[in-house]
PDB file of all heavy atoms in Angstrom:
ATOM      1  N   ILE L  45      -2.289   6.469   8.335  1.00 98.00           N
ATOM      2  CA  ILE L  45      -1.108   6.823   7.800  1.00 98.00           C
ATOM      3  C   ILE L  45      -0.356   5.695   7.175  1.00 98.00           C
ATOM      4  O   ILE L  45       0.316   5.716   6.040  1.00 98.00           O
ATOM      5  CB  ILE L  45      -0.216   7.498   8.842  1.00 98.00           C
ATOM      6  CG1 ILE L  45      -0.812   8.876   9.176  1.00 98.00           C
ATOM      7  CG2 ILE L  45       1.296   7.788   8.291  1.00 98.00           C
ATOM      8  CD1 ILE L  45      -0.107   9.595  10.413  1.00 98.00           C
ATOM      9  N   GLY L  46      -0.352   4.521   7.943  1.00 97.00           N
ATOM     10  CA  GLY L  46       0.215   3.280   7.410  1.00 97.00           C
ATOM     11  C   GLY L  46      -0.365   2.888   6.103  1.00 97.00           C
ATOM     12  O   GLY L  46       0.363   2.458   5.113  1.00 97.00           O
ATOM     13  N   ASP L  47      -1.657   2.968   5.950  1.00 97.00           N
ATOM     14  CA  ASP L  47      -2.384   2.610   4.736  1.00 97.00           C
ATOM     15  C   ASP L  47      -2.014   3.571   3.584  1.00 97.00           C
ATOM     16  O   ASP L  47      -1.750   3.075   2.434  1.00 97.00           O
ATOM     17  CB  ASP L  47      -3.875   2.716   4.888  1.00 97.00           C
ATOM     18  CG  ASP L  47      -4.463   1.614   5.771  1.00 97.00           C
ATOM     19  OD1 ASP L  47      -3.799   0.585   5.970  1.00 97.00           O
ATOM     20  OD2 ASP L  47      -5.649   1.702   6.289  1.00 97.00           O
ATOM     21  N   MET L  48      -1.797   4.802   3.866  1.00 96.00           N
ATOM     22  CA  MET L  48      -1.471   5.809   2.840  1.00 96.00           C
ATOM     23  C   MET L  48      -0.017   5.562   2.339  1.00 96.00           C
ATOM     24  O   MET L  48       0.261   5.584   1.213  1.00 96.00           O
ATOM     25  CB  MET L  48      -1.590   7.278   3.437  1.00 96.00           C
ATOM     26  CG  MET L  48      -2.893   7.703   3.597  1.00 96.00           C
ATOM     27  SD  MET L  48      -2.827   9.369   4.434  1.00 96.00           S
ATOM     28  CE  MET L  48      -4.537   9.747   4.799  1.00 96.00           C
ATOM     29  N   LEU L  49       0.895   5.233   3.308  1.00 96.00           N
ATOM     30  CA  LEU L  49       2.305   4.795   2.863  1.00 96.00           C
ATOM     31  C   LEU L  49       2.334   3.681   1.922  1.00 96.00           C
ATOM     32  O   LEU L  49       2.993   3.650   1.078  1.00 96.00           O
ATOM     33  CB  LEU L  49       3.083   4.683   4.102  1.00 96.00           C
ATOM     34  CG  LEU L  49       3.439   5.960   4.895  1.00 96.00           C
ATOM     35  CD1 LEU L  49       4.206   5.545   6.224  1.00 96.00           C
ATOM     36  CD2 LEU L  49       4.296   6.761   4.106  1.00 96.00           C
ATOM     37  N   GLU L  50       1.484   2.628   2.335  1.00 96.00           N
ATOM     38  CA  GLU L  50       1.433   1.465   1.528  1.00 96.00           C
ATOM     39  C   GLU L  50       0.829   1.801   0.127  1.00 96.00           C
ATOM     40  O   GLU L  50       1.397   1.277  -0.861  1.00 96.00           O
ATOM     41  CB  GLU L  50       0.644   0.341   2.125  1.00 96.00           C
ATOM     42  CG  GLU L  50       1.316  -0.323   3.399  1.00 96.00           C
ATOM     43  CD  GLU L  50       0.500  -1.349   3.994  1.00 96.00           C
ATOM     44  OE1 GLU L  50      -0.766  -1.552   3.786  1.00 96.00           O
ATOM     45  OE2 GLU L  50       1.065  -2.090   4.770  1.00 96.00           O
ATOM     46  N   GLU L  51      -0.079   2.617   0.126  1.00 95.00           N
ATOM     47  CA  GLU L  51      -0.664   3.009  -1.214  1.00 95.00           C
ATOM     48  C   GLU L  51       0.355   3.728  -2.123  1.00 95.00           C
ATOM     49  O   GLU L  51       0.519   3.520  -3.266  1.00 95.00           O
ATOM     50  CB  GLU L  51      -1.929   3.900  -1.039  1.00 95.00           C
ATOM     51  CG  GLU L  51      -2.624   4.268  -2.246  1.00 95.00           C
ATOM     52  CD  GLU L  51      -3.866   5.101  -1.992  1.00 95.00           C
ATOM     53  OE1 GLU L  51      -4.381   5.019  -0.915  1.00 95.00           O
ATOM     54  OE2 GLU L  51      -4.148   5.867  -2.860  1.00 95.00           O
ATOM     55  N   ILE L  52       1.073   4.626  -1.480  1.00 95.00           N
ATOM     56  CA  ILE L  52       2.197   5.389  -2.195  1.00 95.00           C
ATOM     57  C   ILE L  52       3.259   4.388  -2.650  1.00 95.00           C
ATOM     58  O   ILE L  52       3.773   4.485  -3.784  1.00 95.00           O
ATOM     59  CB  ILE L  52       2.800   6.457  -1.292  1.00 95.00           C
ATOM     60  CG1 ILE L  52       1.769   7.624  -1.061  1.00 95.00           C
ATOM     61  CG2 ILE L  52       4.053   7.054  -1.822  1.00 95.00           C
ATOM     62  CD1 ILE L  52       2.139   8.532   0.037  1.00 95.00           C
ATOM     63  N   LEU L  53       3.601   3.458  -1.850  1.00 94.00           N
ATOM     64  CA  LEU L  53       4.634   2.520  -2.318  1.00 94.00           C
ATOM     65  C   LEU L  53       4.258   1.655  -3.435  1.00 94.00           C
ATOM     66  O   LEU L  53       5.046   1.128  -4.130  1.00 94.00           O
ATOM     67  CB  LEU L  53       5.039   1.662  -1.082  1.00 94.00           C
ATOM     68  CG  LEU L  53       5.804   2.263   0.090  1.00 94.00           C
ATOM     69  CD1 LEU L  53       5.919   1.419   1.310  1.00 94.00           C
ATOM     70  CD2 LEU L  53       7.256   2.690  -0.402  1.00 94.00           C
ATOM     71  N   GLN L  54       2.939   1.525  -3.624  1.00 95.00           N
ATOM     72  CA  GLN L  54       2.459   0.584  -4.683  1.00 95.00           C
ATOM     73  C   GLN L  54       2.297   1.352  -6.023  1.00 95.00           C
ATOM     74  O   GLN L  54       2.116   0.806  -6.930  1.00 95.00           O
ATOM     75  CB  GLN L  54       1.067   0.014  -4.298  1.00 95.00           C
ATOM     76  CG  GLN L  54       1.219  -1.026  -3.186  1.00 95.00           C
ATOM     77  CD  GLN L  54      -0.137  -1.574  -2.661  1.00 95.00           C
ATOM     78  OE1 GLN L  54      -1.174  -1.122  -3.180  1.00 95.00           O
ATOM     79  NE2 GLN L  54      -0.012  -2.380  -1.713  1.00 95.00           N
ATOM     80  N   MET L  55       2.449   2.713  -5.885  1.00 95.00           N
ATOM     81  CA  MET L  55       2.280   3.532  -7.171  1.00 95.00           C
ATOM     82  C   MET L  55       3.498   3.318  -8.065  1.00 95.00           C
ATOM     83  O   MET L  55       4.570   3.175  -7.593  1.00 95.00           O
ATOM     84  CB  MET L  55       2.151   5.033  -6.781  1.00 95.00           C
ATOM     85  CG  MET L  55       0.866   5.373  -6.108  1.00 95.00           C
ATOM     86  SD  MET L  55       0.872   7.179  -5.758  1.00 95.00           S
ATOM     87  CE  MET L  55      -0.697   7.418  -5.042  1.00 95.00           C
ATOM     88  N   ASP L  56       3.240   3.364  -9.331  1.00 94.00           N
ATOM     89  CA  ASP L  56       4.365   3.465 -10.249  1.00 94.00           C
ATOM     90  C   ASP L  56       4.754   4.914 -10.483  1.00 94.00           C
ATOM     91  O   ASP L  56       4.208   5.819  -9.908  1.00 94.00           O
ATOM     92  CB  ASP L  56       3.995   2.824 -11.601  1.00 94.00           C
ATOM     93  CG  ASP L  56       2.800   3.513 -12.426  1.00 94.00           C
ATOM     94  OD1 ASP L  56       2.611   4.718 -12.171  1.00 94.00           O
ATOM     95  OD2 ASP L  56       2.151   2.818 -13.224  1.00 94.00           O
ATOM     96  N   GLU L  57       5.825   5.153 -11.251  1.00 93.00           N
ATOM     97  CA  GLU L  57       6.417   6.446 -11.393  1.00 93.00           C
ATOM     98  C   GLU L  57       5.383   7.455 -11.971  1.00 93.00           C
ATOM     99  O   GLU L  57       5.317   8.526 -11.548  1.00 93.00           O
ATOM    100  CB  GLU L  57       7.599   6.404 -12.236  1.00 93.00           C
ATOM    101  CG  GLU L  57       8.567   7.604 -12.107  1.00 93.00           C
ATOM    102  CD  GLU L  57       9.065   7.836 -10.647  1.00 93.00           C
ATOM    103  OE1 GLU L  57       9.322   7.004  -9.999  1.00 93.00           O
ATOM    104  OE2 GLU L  57       9.094   9.058 -10.324  1.00 93.00           O
ATOM    105  N   LYS L  58       4.637   7.103 -12.881  1.00 94.00           N
ATOM    106  CA  LYS L  58       3.562   7.965 -13.588  1.00 94.00           C
ATOM    107  C   LYS L  58       2.527   8.327 -12.525  1.00 94.00           C
ATOM    108  O   LYS L  58       2.245   9.545 -12.448  1.00 94.00           O
ATOM    109  CB  LYS L  58       2.889   7.349 -14.735  1.00 94.00           C
ATOM    110  CG  LYS L  58       1.922   8.172 -15.365  1.00 94.00           C
ATOM    111  CD  LYS L  58       1.392   7.670 -16.745  1.00 94.00           C
ATOM    112  CE  LYS L  58       0.347   8.600 -17.405  1.00 94.00           C
ATOM    113  NZ  LYS L  58       0.000   9.795 -16.888  1.00 94.00           N
ATOM    114  N   GLN L  59       2.064   7.476 -11.664  1.00 94.00           N
ATOM    115  CA  GLN L  59       1.074   7.795 -10.727  1.00 94.00           C
ATOM    116  C   GLN L  59       1.653   8.787  -9.700  1.00 94.00           C
ATOM    117  O   GLN L  59       0.961   9.776  -9.276  1.00 94.00           O
ATOM    118  CB  GLN L  59       0.564   6.515 -10.037  1.00 94.00           C
ATOM    119  CG  GLN L  59      -0.210   5.638 -10.874  1.00 94.00           C
ATOM    120  CD  GLN L  59      -0.531   4.254 -10.130  1.00 94.00           C
ATOM    121  OE1 GLN L  59       0.323   3.664  -9.627  1.00 94.00           O
ATOM    122  NE2 GLN L  59      -1.830   3.874 -10.029  1.00 94.00           N
ATOM    123  N   LEU L  60       2.881   8.508  -9.345  1.00 92.00           N
ATOM    124  CA  LEU L  60       3.547   9.475  -8.398  1.00 92.00           C
ATOM    125  C   LEU L  60       3.718  10.824  -8.923  1.00 92.00           C
ATOM    126  O   LEU L  60       3.261  11.880  -8.294  1.00 92.00           O
ATOM    127  CB  LEU L  60       5.018   8.920  -8.054  1.00 92.00           C
ATOM    128  CG  LEU L  60       5.021   7.774  -7.151  1.00 92.00           C
ATOM    129  CD1 LEU L  60       6.516   7.281  -7.039  1.00 92.00           C
ATOM    130  CD2 LEU L  60       4.602   8.157  -5.705  1.00 92.00           C
ATOM    131  N   GLN L  61       4.031  10.984 -10.198  1.00 93.00           N
ATOM    132  CA  GLN L  61       4.232  12.284 -10.803  1.00 93.00           C
ATOM    133  C   GLN L  61       2.744  12.932 -10.967  1.00 93.00           C
ATOM    134  O   GLN L  61       2.731  14.099 -10.713  1.00 93.00           O
ATOM    135  CB  GLN L  61       4.811  12.227 -12.108  1.00 93.00           C
ATOM    136  CG  GLN L  61       6.328  11.852 -12.164  1.00 93.00           C
ATOM    137  CD  GLN L  61       7.065  12.936 -11.349  1.00 93.00           C
ATOM    138  OE1 GLN L  61       6.848  14.136 -11.398  1.00 93.00           O
ATOM    139  NE2 GLN L  61       7.985  12.492 -10.561  1.00 93.00           N
ATOM    140  N   ASP L  62       1.791  12.186 -11.329  1.00 93.00           N
ATOM    141  CA  ASP L  62       0.388  12.738 -11.452  1.00 93.00           C
ATOM    142  C   ASP L  62      -0.071  13.253 -10.114  1.00 93.00           C
ATOM    143  O   ASP L  62      -0.652  14.358 -10.081  1.00 93.00           O
ATOM    144  CB  ASP L  62      -0.554  11.669 -11.975  1.00 93.00           C
ATOM    145  CG  ASP L  62      -0.339  11.387 -13.442  1.00 93.00           C
ATOM    146  OD1 ASP L  62       0.426  12.106 -14.147  1.00 93.00           O
ATOM    147  OD2 ASP L  62      -0.778  10.309 -13.924  1.00 93.00           O
ATOM    148  N   ASN L  63       0.239  12.524  -9.047  1.00 91.00           N
ATOM    149  CA  ASN L  63      -0.196  12.998  -7.739  1.00 91.00           C
ATOM    150  C   ASN L  63       0.579  14.176  -7.263  1.00 91.00           C
ATOM    151  O   ASN L  63       0.042  15.100  -6.607  1.00 91.00           O
ATOM    152  CB  ASN L  63      -0.097  11.891  -6.718  1.00 91.00           C
ATOM    153  CG  ASN L  63      -1.322  10.848  -6.888  1.00 91.00           C
ATOM    154  OD1 ASN L  63      -2.368  11.247  -6.361  1.00 91.00           O
ATOM    155  ND2 ASN L  63      -1.055   9.823  -7.487  1.00 91.00           N
TER     156      ASN L  63
END
Side-chain angles (χ1 to χ4, degrees):
I45 293 170
D47 290 343
M48 289 176 186
L49 287 172
E50 286 181 347
E51 185 178 332
I52 291 168
L53 289 167
Q54 292 174 1
M55 290 181 180
D56 61 26
E57 197 61 37
K58 181 171 180 359
Q59 289 173 310
L60 286 170
Q61 287 302 318
D62 289 346
N63 280 285

